[in-house]
Amino acid sequence: MALVLCFMQSGCNKALNLKPLDQLSDAAYWQTPSDFQLAANAFYTYERSFLDVIFDVPVGVSTNANPHADMKGDLVNTANGFSRGTNTAPTTDNIWSTGGAWSKIRNTNYLIAKAATYPKPADIARYVAEAKFFRAYVYFDLLQIYGAVPLILTPITPDSMAVYGPRASRDSVVNQIIADLNDAIPNLPLQSNIGDNGRVSQGAAQAFLSRVALYEGTWQEFRGNTARANSLLDIAISASNAVMISNQYSLFAPAALGDSAQKYLFILENNGTSGTGLTPPADPRSNPAGLQKSANNEYILANRYDHATRQIRQNVTHTMFGYDLTKNFADLYLCKDGLPVDKSPLFQGYSTMNSEFINRENRMRYNMMVAGQYYWSGNANWRVDYLGDAIERANSNGGAFKPYNNSLTGYHNQKWAVEKNDYDNEEAMDYPVIRYAEVLLNYAEAVFERNGSISNADLDKSLNLVRLRVNKDNGMPPLSNELVGANGLDMRTEIRRERTIELYLEGFRVDDLKRWHDLASFQKPLLGITWTGTQFQTTWPTQSTIPKDGNGNLIVDNIRNFSEKDFLWPIPTQQVQLNPALGQNPGWQ
Amino acid sequence: MKNRSFLPLRRIGFYSFLLALLTFIVQAPVFAQNGSNSVTGKITDAVTGQPIPGATVKVKGSSKGVSTDAAGIFTINAAPSAILVISYVGYAGQEVSASADLSSLRLSQASKDLGEVVVVGYGTQKKASLTGAVSVVTAKNFQDRGPIANPIAALQGQVPGVVVTRSSAAPGREAWNFQVRGATSINSTDPLIIIDGIPVSTPIYGAPPPGATPGTPVNSNPGNTGLGVTMNSANALSSLNPSDIESISVLKDAAASIYGSRAAGGVVLITTKKGRSGKPVLQYEGTVSTKKKGLMYKLANGPQWGHGIMDALTNDYFGNPNKSYIWYRMGSLMNNAPDSGYIDLNYTYTVDPTTGKLTYVGTPVAPASNPANPGFGDVKDITFFNTNWNDILWGGGAVSNTHNLSLAGRTEKSGYRLSLRYSDDGSLLKWGDNSNKLYNVRLANDWTITNKLKVETNLSVEENDILMPTALTNGNVLGNYMQPGFPTVTKNGQPYAWGTQYDPNWQAKLGGSTKESNTRIYANLGLTYSITKHLRFLGKVAYDPSVTDVKAQNKVIHWWNYAGTIQAPDAPTQANGYYQRQTTKEGYYNLNGYFEYRNTFGTNHDLAVTAGSQYERDEYDYYSAKTTSLTNDNVPSLNLSIGDPTTKSVNELQSHWALGSYFGRLNYAYKGKYLFEAQARYDGSSRFAPEDRWKMFYGFSGGWRIIDENFMKKQKVFSDLKLRASWGQVGNQNGIGLYDYINTLGSTVTSGSASSGVPLLGANPVVYINPSGSLVSLNRTWETIQNENAGLDFGLLQDRLTGTFDYYIRNNNNMLIGITYPSVVGANAPQSNSGHLRTWGWETTLGWRDQIGKLTYHVAATVSDNRNKLVSLQGASVMTPGYTDGTSAHPYVQGYPIGSIFGLKYAGRIQDQKTADAVNAIGAGNNIGLPLKVGSQPGARMGDNYYVDVNHDGKLTTPGDLVYLGRDDPRYVYSLNLGLEWKGIDFSTVFQGVGSRAVYRGYNVVEVPYQNLYQGEGAYWVGNTWTPSHTNAFYPNLSANQNGQTYNTYNYQPSSWSGTVQNGAYVRLKNLVLGYTIPQSLIEKIKLQKVRIYFSGQDLWEKTAIHDGWDPEASRTISNLERYPFYRYLTFGLNVTF
């Protein structure tokens, strides 16, 4: 039979070459720029979003989740093993795991490796740049969490040497991140040429570079390595400056919103209702001015949502509405004379539930909830007309606000809580992966840390823009060397204060404290309102059993054992067993 | 190139079909003719006197030949001077003059079955010269014994070392499985099944279950159909007509090496019947059967259920239960049921202070705030109907019938056989449509075109239609039953709902059906060309397409409260009800050809050589469409959807594989007593990269026919004695993906506004592509199993006593196992060839056959055992309590068998406070659910179990205190066959059993009382739990794990106490047949040749150590379709030969 003859021929191996029929495979992919674009699209799932910064250890996830959430720090009331320093090294976590950071790095490496053999590199340069941006993005995450990690820059296999190799030094990880970003920057478009909104721009890579360089620069500075610190701070200065002079971004400060601009920035949604059949008729606006997302030129890189096509699917509003904040945080807000509570003659003390809110800078009342005011919170308690009139007050959340009496701090948050009638999980504001305010603050801090001082001019083109965005009309002075000098303030403290106030609940605080080597802030007890002798004592007599400090402040968490070892997380023990060459971070052995 | 090259193949398949049909039509009228010189005779067995049908009668020196009919009668044209040569396989030949008295020619059985031919891979061999471990079952072993649901079932109890299981008794969904000589790998190793030289292809993918949202590829879970049925080749066989089978050979050792890469699980060769010599023979075989509900676990009735709850809660609260707790009140109500049989919670009741019974008052009230309501928010009444769901759902007069008609004959140049079957298997399920219908047509033809060329065709069309209520696939009918108060129907005859629990019977009856229709075609064309006297070429072309079409409907059902006054929300609702259509098409092609050379050199050297090649290809194609929100359910159609696009979903799967092979075998025999065989196969698979694609498998075997030695000539005891030994390799490619060496890419798209995982770039969420999370594997290969076998065949006392014994060892030295690599790899590593499994065992058969006067009888026994040990799993050594199935939750453990069960060492029941104190003393830090003795809580009490602190660390923990408790695979599998024949009466029985098996069902309702308070309960524990007045009870204190206590968790830890790990040994009367063949003299008048009537019974009796009520052959887990009750099967059968 013909078959037998056929097999006598060598060519019949071909009859055994079969390719997948119903799946994409390398055999038929990586042929066009579009193929690379689709692969690069996957990297955008690596961006942080609400889940990463305003939730603490969702149910069913290992306790190593959400390493950047403010819940791991001192601004909000959560007593977890990480903020307390009582956690132990886990067997596995969901970051250092297959499917976690290393899969993301593999996928970026995969695209970069496939691009190496693409015949027209110029056509795909943008996607290679995106791959490098996100490789840097993921490595920076690992750096912040674990410090030194292995450097894997190709799609490796189990028999690669690197699998059982040691960790690369911290410096080489940082150098690689900087090199990837520098490679990416020239091949990325300006924001004005971005095309598909939401993709990485040149400004995003520069802004991220400023974040990385400032992080590592200060990390090294406060661990005694001045030379390394200075070279990194120089990078931070130039990278943030590049964004500032690019004229691509500006702070969101529409006149129509006045001093509430920063508040509505975070809950800016396009018009439209997500609740249907609700009475009274819902206002489609997310802010009193009816501004839409197009008015926002501050978000340099955003994880974007849309009610019709991509909802957040996290219960952001009802998690954040009334969320418990600490006195540690509340006392950071300056009075409107630019002085802290312990120095300002304008400070009204703690005697009533809202006395401390008087004469403070505007962000305090827009980020926190003030007793006696009215608040709205999406589903069931939405804004009707943004007039604050009787109908609207009737639809407010619980009427005139009274701080909750649940053995909590008594300080309550409203950042991230929408006022428009979004159903739970259906909110659709964008998440700022990088926003311009951070770049301005990076610049100020980098300049100060590099030189030990900062000129008023540098402050005015950076930090003061942020500070005065919503404090234009209340007479608040800019931060200046004169203000500092005249009032015995500390410039570094003021720069850090500004950053903490502006960026809270955006995933910066815990990492900032770590790079500043600030054990003291981690170790301070978490405090609530001043109870003894205040209106709270008469309103909440049952809180008498809660421990208080010498000033009559509620102590909500006094187990603050955060120590030197906690600046880095432990590598999951299973990984150390599988590859002893990794070693363990100091103090976790 | 891919598809075009196979067009001719399809065409060949089609032409062979046409040709076969044409041949049949042309030759049908050409029956044997009677001439004037015809002589007639009858041939019977010299011992039994039974007629021998199919014996060949030839005129010496001519090619003329006929064969005897069913009554042993032949008619042939022969001159009176002619010599007739009479022959029949297994009997000594005879020559007789045509003029002699031919009316009672008696043939004697050959003293040894020297002539018996056994089908082996690519050819046949004489049984006497076999050197491998090959078992053969012929048609007479399983025919005329009642219906066989699957031809593989015919091997049960007949072939030592073969274990056949079915996990369900649902018609058409038995989930057949069988193993030859136990486990070969932790990866699946189905035996390779070959019908007439062509492998039965195993579907690569199963279809997702009806009702599942299409879109999840199921290739990660090969073989799973979602209906609880594994799609292995054994199940594909269930539509093969057992009456068409001539013989089944099972290749167990190196004899399977010629099948190379797929022979790891053994090879089963099925040969179908062909036209026999002689006149056309028309046969009818019919059976009518009825099913009787077999073993099944008993259910607690209402008062038992209610008392149990109260007792369990009393124990959990240490004598002081919370009497207002919803389930305590429910239990208490169950013992004080009002005479009306139900409480309508829409009206008020008062409690009679003396009897505790409720008296109807009749003031309207909201059910949720009715004082008579124990606290349910959603129920409208409380009912007390003492329903036994086993009786409600199962039983009835399930009738099955089978009809077979065959016509076979042979002329000088050609033979033909046509067979038809219709079979309808009824169901024990009393609600809804449930049946399995089979339709078969098979046509086998062969014709001699020239002296050198012979062509054969074999065409089979099989239709298998399975009808089943959809509710049986979603767990509502076959899950845990409702509590026993449920009515099966409301007052008005409507379906009843209790809150969100629903009558299972109505779900079966009204919830829609799943109709599965399987069409399988086997078209097989063969050719034999004799090149020289010693050299032949044999070629085959086969095309076996199969189509499975599933139409699944899940209908909206309306529900009411018992009074029929309140309609509950529909379940399923219109938005949840669905209609789904899924079609699977598979095409399997096979081309093979080989040369066969046989010669004898001198007188002492017999040589046979076979060499050839084969190409196979399989193409799988599946698609599915599903819609919810249908206009109405009367007509199941995808067109009737009224939902938006999100209510519709589609899915497709396609795949293919190909295998190219060269194979060969060499047999050499010196003086017919020193036998040697070598075989090899060189396989190339599409699953591997071209450079690593080909691999050689080979084997050797030898035999020594001691009986033929000179020194054996004088002894009288042995009539046969042969030693065999073999060594060979076989391969297994399960666990290797179809496109393993090609990196695949997954694409993700948004599924709407709730799909938050897809980035929004530009105006819309984007599509994104990710490389597969599993690495390609470039360096792994087939598992290679080394088979070693030593065997002895013997016959004594003129072969009255015959037997075989085999001992074997198999080593899977490069078993595919998963290895955990450091996560920096960034993807899941493929399994690698780094495990080692050793399997060893023995098997024996012993048979005795003799006669006493006119009574002939035979007794045969088989016993086999196998053990296995995971010699290397790269150090995996963590024991977990319970059954180890190889998942990460229950990993296999190095040094123990596959499917091991680990548990605590049971020390006994705590009968005094001193023991309880001792247990509590080591209670701290336990992780087995022992409540701690704290404050007023007593910790371990009298009536609880206690366990041994095996590792003496002062606490009871797992894995530290775990010990090996046995394995789920049976050991010491045995069978005993008895047969008697006397004056037309035949009687036979098959007993079959298992000597040892450990059965751990898991911590579930079947094993643990009150695991769920809201469901029905088994009755196994009723009256048999520890109480202060019944201290020798089998079960410990009743508990419901309430009050923060975990006594059930503790007492029902898997342990050596047989309450959790049961002894699965059993013996069962598998088959009993009583038949009567009506004397020839009576039926000749009505022109019939043979009429036999018989009664057969299957699974009529058993003795089992299983104490929870389930059938000993049921699978361990008792979940879903495995809960379908096993049955006893009574059959009346009729065989008529015209």
Side-chain angles (χ1 to χ4, degrees), chain A residues 165-334:
Chain A
R167 294 195 260 172
S169 70
R170 185 176 175 104
D171 285 353
S172 42
V173 174
V174 172
N175 292 345
Q176 180 61 42
I177 295 169
I178 293 170
D180 271 346
L181 291 172
N182 280 329
D183 281 356
I185 287 166
N187 291 316
L188 289 167
L190 287 174
Q191 186 68 34
S192 46
N193 295 329
I194 198 77
D196 284 344
N197 200 7
R199 297 198 88 88
V200 178
S201 64
Q202 198 171 83
Q206 287 163 335
F208 190 68
L209 178 56
S210 83
R211 180 189 291 181
V212 172
L214 175 66
Y215 183 92
E216 186 62 10
T218 48
W219 178 282
Q220 295 295 348
E221 180 182 351
F222 296 110
R223 284 158 181 83
N225 195 345
T226 314
R228 173 80 177 157
N230 285 342
S231 72
L232 290 161
L233 291 168
D234 284 338
I235 296 173
I237 294 166
S238 72
S240 45
N241 191 53
V243 181
M244 287 154 62
I245 63 173
S246 71
N247 287 320
Q248 299 285 316
Y249 309 97
S250 59
L251 292 180
F252 178 79
L257 290 175
D259 55 18
S260 65
Q262 199 230 22
K263 165 183 170 146
Y264 286 105
L265 169 67
F266 297 121
I267 53 174
L268 190 61
E269 289 188 68
N270 288 335
N271 286 346
T273 56
S274 66
T276 51
L278 299 172
T279 53
D283 195 305
R285 297 173 296 166
S286 67
N287 55 79
L291 293 170
Q292 311 219 30
K293 287 184 181 178
S294 55
N296 175 8
N297 197 28
E298 178 172 340
Y299 286 5
I300 296 174
L301 183 62
N303 203 339
R304 297 165 71 237
Y305 295 91
D306 179 82
H307 182 258
T309 57
R310 189 189 183 214
Q311 298 163 355
I312 296 171
R313 305 313 297 173
Q314 300 289 339
N315 197 352
V316 173
T317 298
H318 287 112
T319 304
M320 282 293 102
F321 185 81
Y323 198 95
D324 226 20
L325 304 173
T326 59
K327 185 186 206 70
N328 313 41
F329 176 60
D331 281 353
L332 284 177
Y333 284 99
L334 294 169

Side-chain angles (χ1 to χ4, degrees), chain A residues 1 3-9 11-30 35 37-47 96-99 102-107 110-111 114 130 150 152 154-159 162-164 195-200 293 302-314 430 574-575 578-579 582, chain B residues 1-2 6 205 219 527 537-541 591-595 612-618 620 652-662 684-688 690-691 693-694 738-739 741-747 750 752-773 775-776 779 819-830:
Chain A
M1 305 193 85
L3 162 79
V4 177
L5 296 173
C6 162
F7 265 97
M8 300 301 151
Q9 297 167 358
C12 272
N13 219 357
K14 277 186 196 155
L16 299 174
N17 283 338
L18 304 180
K19 305 281 181 269
L21 295 170
D22 61 355
Q23 283 169 293
L24 294 172
S25 74
D26 274 358
Y29 201 75
W30 312 108
D35 292 350
Q37 185 188 9
L38 295 190
N41 288 347
F43 306 148
Y44 289 85
T45 62
Y46 308 164
E47 292 177 340
W96 192 300
S97 67
T98 307
W102 295 110
S103 293
K104 296 172 183 172
I105 286 169
R106 174 182 176 77
N107 292 348
Y110 207 86
L111 186 146
K114 289 292 172 190
E130 290 185 5
I152 308 290
T154 55
I156 56 172
T157 58
D159 42 20
V163 174
Y164 293 100
D196 284 344
N197 200 7
R199 297 198 88 88
V200 178
K293 287 184 181 178
N303 203 339
R304 297 165 71 237
Y305 295 91
D306 179 82
H307 182 258
T309 57
R310 189 189 183 214
Q311 298 163 355
I312 296 171
R313 305 313 297 173
Q314 300 289 339
D430 291 349
Q574 185 193 40
Q575 296 298 322
L578 286 167
N579 176 18
L582 289 177
Chain B
M1 155 80 198
K2 271 183 239 165
F6 289 92
Y205 298 123
N219 54 347
L527 161 157
F537 174 80
L538 298 96
K540 268 206 163 122
V541 185
L591 284 141
N592 70 65
Y594 59 94
F595 293 91
S613 68
Q614 177 162 295
Y615 179 75
E616 291 165 81
R617 184 176 171 113
D618 187 272
Y620 175 92
E652 177 194 65
L653 294 170
Q654 286 187 59
S655 67
H656 50 6
W657 58 263
L659 189 68
S661 316
Y662 304 89
S685 167
S686 63
R687 296 177 185 225
F688 299 108
E691 47 286 8
R693 176 170 287 158
W694 293 87
L738 289 182
Y739 311 100
Y741 65 98
I742 300 170
N743 193 77
T744 55
L745 302 157
S747 76
T750 182
S753 60
S755 176
S756 64
V758 179
L760 174 59
L761 302 174
N764 290 300
V766 289
V767 174
Y768 70 82
I769 300 286
N770 255 336
S772 159
L775 294 173
V776 298
N779 53 4
I819 290 188
T820 307
Y821 289 97
S823 290
V824 294
V825 176
N828 294 310

Side-chain angles (χ1 to χ4, degrees), chain B residues 486-569:
Chain B
F486 257 63
T488 55
V489 64
T490 69
K491 230 174 178 176
N492 305 334
Q494 294 153 323
Y496 172 78
W498 194 56
T500 51
Q501 294 186 49
Y502 307 97
D503 273 346
N505 50 323
W506 291 104
Q507 295 188 57
K509 186 166 177 76
L510 302 177
S513 293
T514 298
K515 300 177 184 179
E516 176 182 322
S517 135
N518 296 290
T519 310
R520 300 189 183 98
I521 295 172
Y522 297 91
N524 190 332
L525 171 70
L527 161 157
T528 307
Y529 187 77
S530 302
I531 299 162
T532 70
K533 191 180 164 194
H534 301 293
L535 182 65
R536 297 197 297 166
F537 174 80
L538 298 96
K540 268 206 163 122
V541 185
Y543 174 48
D544 301 343
S546 65
V547 175
T548 299
D549 188 10
V550 178
K551 299 173 183 173
Q553 199 183 8
N554 191 19
K555 291 188 187 181
V556 174
I557 308 177
H558 313 301
W559 305 93
W560 279 267
N561 68 334
Y562 180 70
T565 52
I566 299 172
Q567 185 171 348

Side-chain angles (χ1 to χ4, degrees), chain B residues 809-820:
Chain B
I809 301 171
R810 284 193 307 206
N811 281 293
N812 186 345
N813 288 323
N814 58 351
M815 186 163 65
L816 286 165
I817 62 171
I819 290 188
T820 307

